[in-house]
Amino acid sequence: MPSPVCDPLYIKNKEAFFINVAKSIAQASTHPVAPAACVIVRDREILGEGRAILTGSKIEIDCISVAIGATSKRGTPTVGATIYTTRYPFTTPLFQCYQMGINKIIVLAHEWEPFYKDEFRRAGRLSRELNLTIDTYFDTADQRFDGSPQSSRKNPFETDDYDPQHANEIPDEDGVTL
């Protein structure tokens, strides 16, 4: 896919791109039941990545905690970043996101793990208290998710209507040309 002339870093459908990166990292997860991974992104740059880990002593470490730890170890600021993850976050990583200035989490839509049901409910309540946005990304045309904007797309990287070369000709919401 050629990049636009005026913006070499422009990514068409960046949600699909970063979710696919997280899905690739999830293949290296050591969690046998619920493998997961995430990437922390700010300004189209991946700041850190993490995968779910199940230790030998059966202690589970969430992928978001691993990514935040790796990013903090490097000293990279995460204020204003977005997390793209393949699994719904737990309460502890949500609070870590709040402390690190991350305000948005995009989760890949899939069947939720039933044994984490109560933890996911607590995480949903905590995200509302902390004003963290948790959005769902639909990457398949699953009948249960009909009505999602991505469900009708066949190619997740198909071109959109935005053309950076003619951005000054796109009318604003009130009909005024910019």
Side-chain angles (χ1 to χ4, degrees):
M1 170 173 59
S3 62
V5 175
C6 61
D7 188 3
L9 298 177
Y10 180 72
I11 299 172
K12 289 188 182 285
N13 199 349
K14 66 180 179 177
E15 285 82 15
F17 177 79
F18 290 121
I19 285 290
N20 284 332
V21 171
K23 284 170 37 177
S24 296
I25 295 170
Q27 294 175 353
S29 176
T30 58
H31 198 293
V33 178
C38 74
V39 291
I40 301 175
V41 177
R42 187 183 62 226
D43 297 332
R44 297 176 282 199
E45 179 184 356
I46 296 176
L47 304 176
E49 68 282 332
R51 56 191 171 95
I53 298 171
L54 186 66
T55 64
S57 58
K58 304 298 180 205
I59 296 174
E60 182 175 356
I61 303 169
D62 190 66
C63 60
I64 295 176
S65 294
V66 173
I68 288 174
T71 306
S72 298
K73 185 177 180 180
R74 293 183 202 120
T76 307
T78 58
V79 175
T82 300
I83 291 182
Y84 296 88
T85 182
T86 60
R87 185 169 70 182
Y88 201 85
F90 295 155
T91 53
T92 303
L94 276 178
F95 190 72
Q96 291 173 339
C97 290
Y98 174 74
Q99 290 290 317
M100 299 297 290
I102 298 168
N103 53 11
K104 186 173 185 178
I105 300 172
I106 298 177
V107 181
L108 176 66
H110 64 285
E111 288 288 330
W112 303 118
E113 299 86 12
F115 39 89
Y116 293 127
K117 175 178 64 172
D118 293 333
E119 180 66 23
F120 292 160
R121 287 183 182 144
R122 286 192 293 269
R125 285 194 305 267
L126 181 62
S127 70
R128 285 189 296 273
E129 289 178 24
L130 299 176
N131 290 326
L132 287 172
T133 304
I134 299 178
D135 289 338
T136 308
Y137 177 78
F138 300 89
D139 70 340
T140 60
D142 194 338
Q143 296 299 323
R144 293 168 297 163
F145 304 126
D146 264 356
S148 69
Q150 295 94 356
S151 65
S152 61
R153 289 185 172 174
K154 293 179 183 159
N155 179 3
F157 299 107
E158 70 184 39
T159 59
D160 55 9
D161 295 334
Y162 177 71
D163 182 12
Q165 291 178 335
H166 301 95
N168 57 351
E169 299 172 8
I170 298 174
D172 198 4
E173 295 169 353
D174 57 0
V176 177
T177 303
L178 300 176

